[in-house]
Amino acid sequence: MQVHESTTVATPAHLRVDGARLWDSLMQLAQIGATDKGGVCRLALTELDRQGRELFIAWAKEIGCTVRIDAIGNIFARRAGLHDDLPPVMTGSHIDTQPTGGKFDGNYGVLAGLEVLRTLAEANVQTLAPLEVAVWTNEEGSRFVPVMMGSGVFAGAFTLEHALAQRDREGVSVRDALTAIGYAGENGKPHTVGAYFEAHIEQGPVLEAHDKTIGVVQGALGQRWYDVTVQGMEAHAGPTPMELRRDALLVAADLIHAVNRIALDHAPHGRGTVGWLDVHPNSRNVIPGRVTLTVDLRAADDATLTAMDTALRAACSTAAEQAGIAVDVEQVVYFPPQPFAANLVAAVKQGADALGFSSMDVISGAGHDAVYLARVAPAAMIFVPCKDGISHNEIEDARADHLEAGCNVLLQAMLDAAWKLGSANA
Amino acid sequence: MQVHESTTVATPAHLRVDGARLWDSLMQLAQIGATDKGGVCRLALTELDRQGRELFIAWAKEIGCTVRIDAIGNIFARRAGLHDDLPPVMTGSHIDTQPTGGKFDGNYGVLAGLEVLRTLAEANVQTLAPLEVAVWTNEEGSRFVPVMMGSGVFAGAFTLEHALAQRDREGVSVRDALTAIGYAGENGKPHTVGAYFEAHIEQGPVLEAHDKTIGVVQGALGQRWYDVTVQGMEAHAGPTPMELRRDALLVAADLIHAVNRIALDHAPHGRGTVGWLDVHPNSRNVIPGRVTLTVDLRAADDATLTAMDTALRAACSTAAEQAGIAVDVEQVVYFPPQPFAANLVAAVKQGADALGFSSMDVISGAGHDAVYLARVAPAAMIFVPCKDGISHNEIEDARADHLEAGCNVLLQAMLDAAWKLGSANA
């Protein structure tokens, strides 16, 4: 494709983001709430969050964006399109972190979006459809639950009122926290989004294990979370022979194995985790009388997730029956599997191929703002590797060349989407 | 055997204890520290312990016993023998309780001994060897560790100085607590014991399961306790595929099963318990990175206990190797198996048979004062059933007829031993 001096270029495939500028911005934002161990602690709707937001907004305004805040504090930095009444091509993520979070989770998606706009501004390229970078409020859920609060309200997963009423451990409501930092924005119906992309570090080990630069995210796993209680009989470890025991922990061990087996039986995307377990009375020489544990099952499609649910309940019944022990299973969370939009996924793949980056199809095991956005708009995600798959940790790390590559793919995908939206509506 | 008016009768097989008096005394002692739920809270060396001791001593003096306190606060109530320089036939147990203890654990052994002396006093029977009832200080170890402190000092398991220096959670030493309640008694070498019997509720379910009245205790299981650490890799439950995980809890589940299997492989007396387990970070959607757990292995003989130790270490190595995870095993406690004296065990069995009580050979899975006494004297124990095998619990319960039966067996066994000691030394 030829370079034009025109202010409107359809899909200027020659354009490249400035990787060093992206990295510098990441490091600058990471100073706000920087921890001694090289991580970031910038909880949602705190003074540090406010400072991060101000920095982003200042950067967005420098390149001529308009900025709007909605009632849950989501920030939308907008770069006008030639056909500015078209629904925007949006990208974004979040800048709140875990208490011992890293520099890249969320922040990368926001600043990659900013870098795309900076690159277009610098090259004086105007897109047909407008572009927006969203900063979603409280993705992490560390201070306020539910997680992915801002995108959840935007996508109608729960109401604004519900979100505003939530309180942190000190009793401060989301409503008051938003007001305190000056981010209780305008009320109103969420605007229509033409396409949504989100760049993110993988937060898992797959890309690194396969030595790939770009993860072409096909969708997000569905999730079912459970609380399981195993009720046995507490008794002295010494005087109670093996055959007269009703050991709740022994049954729990059966269930831990069952959860693992159920996930393996539903390869490649089935996942099963017992992450939390509590033993009562938890005394060295007392046979455990009660064990409570959590189960987290994930799958790429609902049929598989349902089959895993059935297998879990069967395993609990079998274990209970064999041991003469009560096992109670309660599902506490359900997120349906969320496939991404085929055309946007294809655009990501094409972008990676055109730029010569190695890539592979992956699926997001975790929740992201994009998963909620996919309920109201065509959506897709771009993953880049992070060191050892580690995230939600101060040692979270990523390579500058990978971050730059993901940002270049994002640029191409957004240009492609803006061109297609504009062409279709021209 | 004929009843004589003589003050010395060898083994007056016709004599029977007063079961109602025994029960009444148990209920009266249980008032000191009585809990709302029908249990007893009478921690070692507290004011309540002092009150319990005073009641016992008053009862012992009523029937002409002399009372001596040793330097660790053990009480010895002595009924003179015809050959009073013979080593005494001793019985006893403890009157301290768990914080939510029952009426029978320990108290039964002390008051069964008292009831034996009362019965002899009432019948005006004098034994050849003297008889003693011991109240051992701090058997439970709830306030001060180590457990079985009084009998442990008496048997030389650890030094008096070590015991006196121990402190409770408020920093009060055993030495100061003894002085405060007036039970820091005379220092000196422990006296020689001719034979030691201890009656105790079983604290387990075996007698009840077999519908037997008397447990003829053959000895006590040896114990090996371990701390085990499983070090995996903490990671997100969502983005981490099953094949890239190093799940510490999954390996811990293997070990829980291995401990159970090792115990079953060493039937009938092998026991294996994982009673305490801690998961890190213990978060619903994080693959556990580290699990620490305890292992409690018990067996009736040292060869078996050693074989179980070897099997445990092999299971840990195998699990570690298969999972590519580090498993560390550290032994933290070792109690050797303690067989009881064959002649005293036989006397218990004969007593049960002669009195027409159903009985069975059992082994003590838990520690008791008798286990330490067995290091310095011929020793044996008599178990009676307790309801549902439950002990160390306010709902601990036992039947009056069972308690009376055990006390009658104790009477016969003590008379037999006193006669034999007297005859051998006459």
Side-chain angles (χ1 to χ4, degrees):
Chain A
M1 175 170 290
Q2 196 66 27
V3 182
H4 299 275
E5 288 298 320
S6 152
T7 58
T8 303
V9 179
T11 52
H14 69 287
L15 271 187
R16 294 293 181 274
V17 302
D18 183 338
R21 181 169 57 192
L22 170 59
W23 182 264
D24 287 347
S25 294
L26 279 164
M27 295 307 111
Q28 202 173 329
L29 182 52
Q31 289 306 306
I32 301 172
T35 66
D36 288 345
K37 293 183 181 167
V40 180
C41 175
R42 194 191 310 129
L43 298 185
L45 308 186
T46 57
E47 165 60 20
L48 290 172
D49 187 7
R50 187 192 67 76
Q51 290 176 29
R53 288 162 175 260
E54 298 294 307
L55 180 58
F56 169 78
I57 288 171
W59 281 337
K61 287 185 172 170
E62 272 177 16
I63 53 169
C65 289
T66 56
V67 173
R68 195 170 62 77
I69 316 295
D70 74 6
I72 192 64
N74 295 321
I75 303 168
F76 302 97
R78 178 183 177 98
R79 185 164 189 272
L82 191 64
H83 307 311
D84 204 40
D85 53 345
L86 286 175
V89 172
M90 188 185 280
T91 189
S93 194
H94 59 96
I95 64 164
D96 69 310
T97 75
Q98 293 279 329
T100 52
K103 304 181 190 78
F104 304 98
D105 178 2
N107 296 287
Y108 170 57
V110 169
L111 296 184
L114 178 72
E115 177 56 34
V116 165
L117 300 201
R118 281 171 166 169
T119 301
L120 295 174
E122 200 169 48
N124 202 25
V125 173
Q126 195 176 14
T127 51
L128 293 179
L131 304 186
E132 290 190 7
V133 178
V135 181
W136 304 109
T137 292
N138 182 33
E139 194 269 352
E140 295 291 1
S142 293
R143 182 178 174 198
F144 299 102
V145 287
V147 299
M148 304 188 292
M149 182 178 275
S151 53
V153 168
F154 188 87
F158 37 83
T159 66
L160 173 64
E161 282 308 310
H162 175 76
L164 292 175
Q166 302 308 307
R167 293 178 185 276
D168 68 8
R169 291 196 181 97
E170 275 69 51
V172 179
S173 70
V174 169
R175 188 189 308 273
D176 291 345
L178 275 168
T179 304
I181 67 163
Y183 277 83
E186 57 192 271
N187 222 324
K189 201 161 163 272
H191 55 300
T192 302
V193 176
Y196 180 81
F197 294 97
E198 184 169 347
H200 209 285
I201 56 168
E202 182 197 353
Q203 303 187 287
V206 175
L207 293 176
E208 200 172 63
H210 290 83
D211 196 20
K212 302 291 184 189
T213 299
I214 299 295
V216 182
V217 188
Q218 309 293 306
L221 299 181
Q223 306 179 27
R224 284 179 186 261
W225 289 3
Y226 306 84
D227 287 345
V228 178
T229 304
V230 182
Q231 183 68 57
M233 171 67 87
E234 177 182 332
H236 267 261
T240 312
M242 303 311 287
E243 66 275 15
L244 294 177
R245 296 178 173 210
R246 289 166 60 206
D247 183 340
L249 186 56
L250 196 57
V251 172
D254 288 341
L255 299 183
I256 292 165
H257 279 141
V259 166
N260 189 60
R261 193 195 62 241
I262 289 166
L264 294 174
D265 285 348
H266 294 87
H269 295 308
R271 285 168 203 176
T273 308
V274 177
W276 185 94
L277 186 141
D278 180 71
V279 179
H280 178 85
N282 219 27
S283 171
R284 185 187 282 276
N285 57 350
V286 180
I287 299 159
R290 189 178 68 245
V291 174
T292 44
L293 56 95
T294 62
V295 175
D296 173 334
L297 297 181
R298 308 197 185 199
D301 63 274
D302 233 350
T304 303
L305 197 53
T306 301
M308 292 171 76
D309 173 85
T310 303
L312 174 68
R313 291 175 190 278
C316 289
S317 295
T318 303
E321 206 168 309
Q322 284 175 350
I325 272 182
V327 178
D328 179 69
V329 187
E330 188 191 354
Q331 181 177 303
V332 292
V333 164
Y334 170 63
F335 281 108
Q338 181 64 63
F340 285 145
N343 58 328
L344 299 200
V345 173
V348 170
K349 171 70 174 153
Q350 285 157 17
D353 289 350
L355 293 162
F357 299 131
S358 61
S359 71
M360 66 184 287
D361 291 353
V362 294
I363 193 149
S364 175
H368 290 290
D369 293 310
V371 180
Y372 274 149
L373 264 292
R375 297 189 183 183
V376 292
M381 292 189 77
I382 301 158
F383 278 175
V384 295
C386 58
K387 186 169 160 49
D388 300 327
I390 295 172
S391 183
H392 286 197
N393 193 310
E394 290 163 277
I395 64 168
E396 178 186 272
D397 201 5
R399 275 169 47 180
D401 60 331
H402 287 157
L403 298 170
E404 179 180 347
C407 190
N408 272 316
V409 172
L410 177 66
L411 168 65
Q412 293 305 320
M414 289 183 75
L415 286 174
D416 180 71
W419 169 253
K420 286 176 178 160
L421 273 169
S423 308
N425 291 278
Chain B
M1 175 170 289
Q2 196 67 30
V3 181
H4 299 275
E5 288 299 318
S6 151
T7 58
T8 304
V9 178
T11 53
H14 69 288
L15 271 185
R16 294 293 181 274
V17 303
D18 183 338
R21 182 170 57 193
L22 170 60
W23 182 264
D24 288 347
S25 294
L26 279 164
M27 294 306 111
Q28 204 174 327
L29 182 53
Q31 291 305 306
I32 301 171
T35 66
D36 288 345
K37 292 183 182 167
V40 180
C41 174
R42 195 191 310 130
L43 297 185
L45 308 186
T46 57
E47 165 59 19
L48 290 171
D49 188 7
R50 188 191 66 77
Q51 291 176 28
R53 288 162 175 260
E54 299 292 308
L55 181 59
F56 169 78
I57 288 171
W59 280 337
K61 287 186 172 169
E62 272 175 18
I63 53 168
C65 288
T66 55
V67 172
R68 194 170 63 76
I69 315 296
D70 75 6
I72 192 64
N74 296 321
I75 304 169
F76 302 97
R78 178 183 177 98
R79 186 165 189 271
L82 190 65
H83 307 310
D84 204 39
D85 53 344
L86 287 173
V89 173
M90 189 185 278
T91 188
S93 195
H94 59 95
I95 64 165
D96 68 311
T97 74
Q98 293 278 329
T100 53
K103 305 182 191 77
F104 303 99
D105 178 3
N107 297 286
Y108 170 57
V110 169
L111 296 184
L114 179 71
E115 178 55 33
V116 165
L117 300 200
R118 281 171 166 169
T119 301
L120 295 175
E122 199 168 48
N124 202 26
V125 172
Q126 196 176 13
T127 50
L128 293 179
L131 305 186
E132 290 190 6
V133 179
V135 181
W136 304 109
T137 292
N138 183 33
E139 193 270 352
E140 295 291 0
S142 293
R143 182 178 174 199
F144 298 103
V145 288
V147 299
M148 306 188 291
M149 182 178 276
S151 55
V153 168
F154 188 87
F158 36 83
T159 66
L160 172 65
E161 282 308 310
H162 175 75
L164 292 176
Q166 302 309 305
R167 293 178 185 276
D168 69 7
R169 289 196 182 96
E170 275 70 51
V172 179
S173 70
V174 169
R175 188 190 307 274
D176 290 345
L178 276 169
T179 304
I181 68 164
Y183 277 82
E186 55 192 273
N187 222 324
K189 203 162 161 271
H191 55 300
T192 302
V193 177
Y196 181 81
F197 293 97
E198 184 168 346
H200 210 284
I201 56 169
E202 183 197 351
Q203 304 186 286
V206 175
L207 293 176
E208 201 172 62
H210 290 82
D211 196 21
K212 302 291 184 189
T213 299
I214 301 295
V216 182
V217 188
Q218 309 292 306
L221 299 181
Q223 305 179 27
R224 283 177 187 262
W225 289 2
Y226 307 83
D227 288 344
V228 178
T229 304
V230 182
Q231 183 68 57
M233 172 65 89
E234 179 182 331
H236 267 262
T240 312
M242 303 310 288
E243 67 274 14
L244 294 178
R245 295 178 174 211
R246 289 167 59 206
D247 183 339
L249 186 56
L250 195 58
V251 173
D254 288 342
L255 298 184
I256 293 164
H257 279 141
V259 166
N260 188 61
R261 193 195 62 240
I262 289 166
L264 294 174
D265 286 348
H266 294 87
H269 295 308
R271 285 169 203 175
T273 307
V274 177
W276 184 95
L277 186 141
D278 180 72
V279 179
H280 178 85
N282 218 27
S283 172
R284 186 187 281 277
N285 58 350
V286 179
I287 299 160
R290 188 178 69 244
V291 174
T292 46
L293 57 95
T294 62
V295 176
D296 172 335
L297 296 181
R298 307 196 187 200
D301 63 273
D302 233 351
T304 303
L305 197 53
T306 301
M308 292 171 76
D309 172 86
T310 303
L312 174 68
R313 292 174 190 279
C316 289
S317 294
T318 303
E321 206 167 309
Q322 283 175 352
I325 272 183
V327 178
D328 179 69
V329 187
E330 188 191 354
Q331 182 177 303
V332 292
V333 164
Y334 170 63
F335 281 108
Q338 181 63 62
F340 285 145
N343 58 329
L344 300 199
V345 173
V348 170
K349 170 69 174 154
Q350 286 156 18
D353 289 350
L355 293 163
F357 299 133
S358 61
S359 71
M360 66 184 288
D361 292 353
V362 294
I363 193 149
S364 175
H368 289 290
D369 293 311
V371 181
Y372 275 149
L373 264 292
R375 297 189 181 183
V376 292
M381 291 189 79
I382 301 159
F383 278 176
V384 295
C386 58
K387 186 168 160 49
D388 299 327
I390 295 171
S391 182
H392 286 196
N393 194 308
E394 289 163 278
I395 65 167
E396 178 186 272
D397 202 4
R399 276 168 48 180
D401 60 330
H402 286 157
L403 298 170
E404 180 180 346
C407 190
N408 272 315
V409 173
L410 177 66
L411 169 65
Q412 294 305 318
M414 289 183 76
L415 286 174
D416 180 72
W419 169 253
K420 285 175 178 161
L421 274 170
S423 308
N425 292 279

